[in-house]
């Protein structure tokens, strides 16, 4: 037996991305894979780093771990059949994506939504935002080495999930909005649970402040780390708390009002430092803002239908045309573009997800930081991977 | 003043940690919030709104017989193609008796929002109804749109298995089993 003269795999050994990334590397540096197993990447995101000792010289996020082709799936399904996908694009703020899809198709077809349904949408979406920020808070601190806060966050999350289960039937990947309203009306039990949650949270937020926010170790890890100036944030198209942490008061709920958000009184939380602490504080402030919006919506909840009596049913054909609709998710601006050719299946769907733009920042702001700071910066961007890989 | 700044900052840092430890110690003496499954289980009242896999609703006159009219709308609307409904078409002159569309699931909108069955004139007899639950995304389109009010969500939160086959259901057989136990007629779903 003789071996072939040339190995057919020659030149293909090793990892493609690492080899391409290593081409520009200095001889005295180390190429380090941060993830997909590293806890601070939450499993699926991988970042290639070129390290000089403890310092990051270059950073390159590598995408494509959970590619699911949501946009292509939309072009193979009836409009209403695409709803369950929305809960999977961002599993932490699924209702915002539900709203983005429902709102886009409603705008395309000129569908009317009853006032009560709009209020229910606001309540559910804000509760879901609180849920998302609580999970981020716990997981971020876990990345930074604090184990107990996630237990406290999950205690409060549990209450929100119980409430949302009452109206959506699910606990994470919600699929409860429909064209022209929402699937289920809210009942007296939901309202009473919601009010007791609103009464409980100020004390809990105070406890969070005592436990972590004022902590000298946390401040040492976050203050002055990963500074994103306003122009850099704008250049990369960052949105949400990342942009507002850099001093830009852009919030889709205020800038391009949708639903009935213009009827609620709340301030858009903004911080000007641009560092990890600023992004942290924006999210903590947003928890309070969302609680305030939910309280106002509960107080003003009107009577009426939770779904329009003439709402389209089953597979239906919206008129031909194209439309863009944006909502404010927990991570930033969620956009849905739909082109319809008048059939029961969308001709083209494009999703604009905030995590993709926010992650793109990392390659620039990660340069020159310590490895431990890179973990803090990556966490402060609050990434949800299916949004990036959609 | 610069001499004083460093000690003051150090004291403030130590104090911030004392405040944090106070929270930890206080919480240490609070009752536990979690449930120690399998020693404890979630109270059934907490599962009233839980959307488990779908199941058939028994007819008023015979709980072992499904209300389903075999129209296949649920299978047509399912985005995951996880339903298989087999029905036999009966002669058109057979007496067509559509069951009551009274709301069977508190989670769903009132029946006036449900879609019309594909054919109101062709009577069918349901032969089999299979659910492949491991591909279901629990969107609720089947339950929402069933014209006969024949579907609802179960509250089976503890469903677990080591093979895919464990999550493939013959819902008609399941309904007969429920009827034999006396729990399938209308009202609330049972695991």
């Amino acid at each position: 037996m003789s071996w072939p003269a040339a190995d057919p795999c020659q030149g293909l050994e090793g990892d493609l991305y690492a080899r391409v990334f290593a081409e520009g590397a200095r001889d005295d540096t180390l190429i380090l894979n941060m993830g997909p197993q590293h806890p601070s990447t939450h499993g699926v995101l991988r970042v290639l780093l070129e390290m000089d000792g403890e310092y990051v010289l270059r950073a390159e996020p590598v995408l494509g771990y959970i590619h699911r082709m949501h946009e292509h799936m939309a072009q193979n399904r009836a409009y209403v059949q695409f709803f369950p996908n929305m809960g999977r694009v961002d599993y932490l703020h699924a209702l915002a994506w539900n709203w983005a899809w429902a709102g886009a198709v409603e705008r395309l077809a000129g569908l009317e939504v009853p006032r009560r349904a709009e209020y229910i949408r606001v309540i559910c979406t804000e509760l879901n935002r609180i849920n998302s920020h609580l999970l981020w808070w716990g997981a971020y601190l876990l990345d930074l080495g604090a184990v107990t806060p996630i237990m406290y966050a999950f205690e409060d999350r549990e209450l929100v999930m119980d409430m949302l289960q009452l109206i959506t039937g699910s606990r994470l990947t919600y699929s409860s909005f429909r064209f022209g309203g929402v699937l289920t009306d809210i009942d007296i039990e939901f309202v009473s649970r919601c009010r007791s949650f609103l009464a409980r949270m100020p004390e809990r937020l105070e406890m969070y402040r005592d436990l972590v926010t004022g902590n000298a170790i946390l401040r040492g890890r976050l203050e002055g780390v990963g500074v994103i100036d306003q122009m850099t944030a704008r250049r990369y198209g960052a949105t949400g708390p990342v942009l507002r942490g850099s001093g830009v008061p852009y919030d889709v709920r205020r800038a391009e009002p949708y639903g009935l958000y213009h009827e609620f009184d709340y301030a858009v939380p903004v911080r000007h430092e641009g560092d990890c602490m600023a992004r942290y504080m924006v999210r903590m402030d947003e928890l309070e803002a969302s609680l305030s919006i939910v309280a106002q919506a509960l107080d003003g909840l009107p009577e009426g239908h939770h779904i329009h009596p003439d709402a389209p049913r089953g597979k239906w054909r919206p008129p031909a045309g194209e439309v863009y609709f944006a909502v404010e998710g927990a991570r930033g601006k969620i956009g849905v573009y739909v082109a319809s050719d008048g059939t029961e299946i969308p001709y083209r769907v494009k999703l604009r997800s905030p995590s993709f733009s926010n992650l793109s920042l990392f390659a620039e702001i990660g340069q020159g930081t310590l490895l431990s700071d890179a973990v803090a910066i990556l966490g402060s961007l609050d990434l949800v991977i299916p949004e990036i890989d959609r | 003043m610069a001499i004083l700044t460093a000690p003051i900052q150090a004291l403030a840092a130590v104090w911030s940690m004392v405040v944090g430890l106070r929270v930890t110690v206080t919480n240490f003496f609070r009752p536990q919030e979690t449930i120690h499954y399998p020693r404890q289980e979630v109270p059934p009242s907490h599962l009233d709104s839980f959307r488990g896999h779908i199941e058939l609703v028994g007819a008023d006159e015979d709980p072992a017989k499904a209300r389903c009219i075999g129209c296949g709308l649920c299978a047509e609307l399912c985005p995951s193609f996880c339903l298989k409904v087999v029905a036999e078409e009966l002669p058109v002159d057979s007496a067509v008796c559509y069951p009551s569309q009274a709301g069977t699931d508190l989670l769903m909108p009132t029946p006036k929002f449900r879609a019309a069955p594909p054919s109101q004139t062709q009577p069918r007899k349901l032969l089999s109804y299979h659910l492949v639950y491991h591909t279901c995304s629990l969107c609720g389109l089947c339950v929402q749109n069933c014209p006969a009010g024949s579907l609802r969500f179960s509250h089976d939160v503890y469903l677990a298995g080591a093979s895919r086959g464990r999550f493939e259901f013959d819902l008609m057989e399941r309904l007969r089993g429920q009827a034999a136990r006396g729990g399938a007629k209308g009202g609330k779903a049972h695991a």
Side-chain angles (χ1 to χ4, degrees):
Chain A
M1 185 180 172
S2 62
W3 294 100
D7 182 359
C9 296
Q10 196 172 16
L12 294 177
E13 67 275 3
D15 175 79
L16 173 71
Y17 292 103
R19 273 190 290 117
V20 172
F21 184 72
E23 270 183 12
R26 280 175 13 204
D27 283 345
D28 58 345
T29 55
L30 175 76
I31 303 295
L32 182 70
N33 271 304
M34 186 173 162
Q37 286 83 20
H38 192 280
S40 75
T41 61
H42 301 300
V44 279
L45 174 68
R46 172 192 181 195
V47 184
L48 279 165
L49 301 173
E50 185 188 350
M51 304 293 301
D52 182 358
E54 276 288 306
Y55 287 92
V56 177
L57 292 183
R58 279 194 300 154
E60 183 72 33
V62 181
L63 311 180
Y65 279 88
I66 51 170
H67 207 54
R68 293 175 77 168
M69 290 301 294
H70 285 289
E71 287 162 5
H72 197 71
M73 282 171 86
Q75 290 154 220
N76 288 290
R77 279 161 168 68
Y79 285 85
V80 73
Q81 287 181 329
F82 191 53
F83 266 114
N85 286 63
M86 295 284 94
R88 274 79 178 170
V89 179
D90 178 356
Y91 45 83
L92 294 182
H93 200 183
L95 287 173
W97 280 89
N98 268 240
W99 199 341
W101 180 245
V105 178
E106 281 158 5
R107 187 175 283 181
L108 173 72
L111 299 176
E112 195 185 327
V113 182
R115 264 185 83 77
R116 185 176 177 85
E118 294 277 24
Y119 267 71
I120 296 172
R121 284 181 177 186
V122 168
I123 293 169
C124 298
T125 310
E126 292 307 317
L127 284 175
N128 206 184
R129 189 188 313 276
I130 292 169
N131 226 5
S132 174
H133 282 344
L134 284 176
L135 179 70
W136 167 82
W137 182 77
Y140 186 43
L141 296 168
L142 197 63
D143 288 352
L144 296 175
V147 179
T148 44
I150 198 165
M151 312 290 179
Y152 298 126
F154 268 63
E155 200 180 322
D156 292 327
R157 267 192 108 227
E158 188 67 17
L159 297 173
V160 183
M161 286 204 288
D162 282 346
M163 278 189 280
L164 289 176
Q165 184 190 313
L166 270 179
I167 26 181
T168 65
S170 315
R171 295 177 69 79
L172 192 73
T173 49
Y174 310 108
S175 168
S176 78
F177 286 9
R178 290 290 183 269
F179 306 131
V182 291
L183 195 54
T184 325
D185 204 354
I186 61 178
D187 56 9
I188 191 74
E189 190 187 347
F190 174 85
V191 174
S192 76
R193 279 198 198 191
C194 206
R195 289 208 186 278
S196 68
F197 177 75
L198 293 174
R200 166 196 165 98
M201 277 313 279
E203 193 188 322
R204 295 287 292 183
L205 291 176
E206 186 69 34
M207 190 187 89
Y208 291 173
R209 268 193 288 275
D210 286 348
L211 182 68
V212 183
T213 311
N215 186 285
I217 299 172
L218 182 87
R219 290 194 167 267
R221 291 287 305 271
L222 302 188
E223 281 176 348
V225 172
V227 176
I228 306 170
D229 63 75
Q230 219 181 81
M231 284 317 293
T232 309
R234 284 171 189 266
R235 193 153 43 83
Y236 279 94
T239 47
V242 176
L243 184 66
R244 292 193 285 274
S246 297
V248 183
Y250 178 78
D251 185 321
V252 183
R253 291 171 292 181
R254 281 277 182 262
E256 304 161 44
Y258 59 95
L260 294 177
Y261 271 111
H262 59 276
E263 294 187 7
F264 300 105
D265 177 31
Y266 79 101
V268 177
V270 182
R271 299 270 166 164
H272 296 272
E273 298 83 0
D275 57 359
C276 292
M277 195 69 206
R279 296 189 276 281
Y280 177 101
M281 289 309 297
V282 165
R283 293 196 181 93
M284 298 310 279
D285 294 343
E286 280 190 8
L287 282 174
E288 290 177 19
S290 291
L291 289 170
S292 153
I293 294 172
V294 173
Q296 291 172 50
L298 280 180
D299 290 341
L301 187 67
E303 292 295 320
H305 290 295
H306 64 277
I307 187 166
H308 198 281
D310 300 325
R313 297 170 291 186
K315 293 180 178 178
W316 62 292
R317 294 163 188 265
E322 55 185 311
V323 71
Y324 179 76
F325 187 78
V327 303
E328 181 71 25
R331 271 148 283 282
K333 184 176 185 173
I334 294 169
V336 172
Y337 165 80
V338 187
S340 162
D341 56 0
T343 60
E344 61 189 27
I345 292 173
Y347 176 75
R348 178 76 179 99
V349 171
K350 175 80 180 86
L351 307 176
R352 190 265 180 218
S353 62
S355 288
F356 184 78
S357 320
N358 294 352
L359 172 67
S360 308
L361 275 163
F362 182 72
E364 186 169 325
I365 58 170
Q367 287 180 5
T369 61
L370 286 165
L371 182 58
S372 57
D373 290 343
V375 173
I377 296 167
L378 203 60
S380 76
L381 299 177
D382 188 14
L383 305 169
V384 164
I385 311 302
E387 271 200 354
I388 303 167
D389 258 359
R390 79 214 170 273
Chain B
M1 286 303 288
I3 300 171
L4 286 175
T5 311
I8 289 171
Q9 279 182 344
L11 276 176
V14 171
W15 179 246
S16 75
M17 285 181 225
V18 171
V19 171
L21 277 174
R22 193 196 66 209
V23 174
T24 310
V25 172
T26 313
N27 275 277
F28 187 77
F29 293 103
R30 287 179 55 212
Q32 277 186 332
E33 298 280 345
T34 47
I35 287 174
H36 277 209
Y37 181 80
R39 295 181 200 90
Q40 296 171 293
E41 288 194 351
V42 180
S45 60
H46 286 210
L47 296 175
D48 278 350
S49 58
F50 182 78
R51 288 200 324 211
H53 64 80
I54 58 162
E55 61 184 11
L56 289 169
V57 179
D60 291 338
E61 65 278 10
D62 181 5
K65 190 168 169 279
R67 286 186 189 181
C68 177
I69 55 173
C71 68
L73 183 67
C74 48
E76 190 192 323
L77 279 176
C78 177
S80 311
F81 311 108
C82 63
L83 297 174
K84 189 176 178 194
V85 183
V86 180
E88 178 189 23
E89 292 196 353
L90 299 174
V92 179
D93 56 354
S94 306
V96 182
C97 180
Y98 286 106
S100 155
Q101 292 195 356
T104 52
D105 195 314
L106 293 174
L107 272 176
M108 292 295 113
T110 50
K112 65 183 172 184
F113 301 118
R114 288 187 169 131
S119 166
Q120 289 276 11
T121 53
Q122 177 64 59
R124 292 180 182 84
K125 183 187 171 195
L126 181 67
L127 296 178
S128 71
Y129 198 114
H130 281 89
L131 164 69
V132 181
Y133 184 46
H134 51 79
T135 58
C136 173
S137 52
L138 286 167
C139 62
L141 284 176
C142 50
V143 180
Q144 183 196 3
N145 288 288
C146 177
S150 176
L151 292 173
R152 67 184 172 201
F153 294 108
S154 71
H155 301 155
D156 195 355
V157 72
Y158 298 113
L159 188 64
S163 67
R164 276 204 306 280
R166 175 76 177 81
F167 303 98
E168 290 169 10
F169 300 104
D170 179 344
L171 292 185
M172 285 181 72
E173 190 185 317
R174 184 185 156 85
L175 180 68
R176 283 192 287 272
Q178 284 175 321
R181 292 194 299 274
K185 190 180 172 184
K188 293 187 172 179
H190 297 269

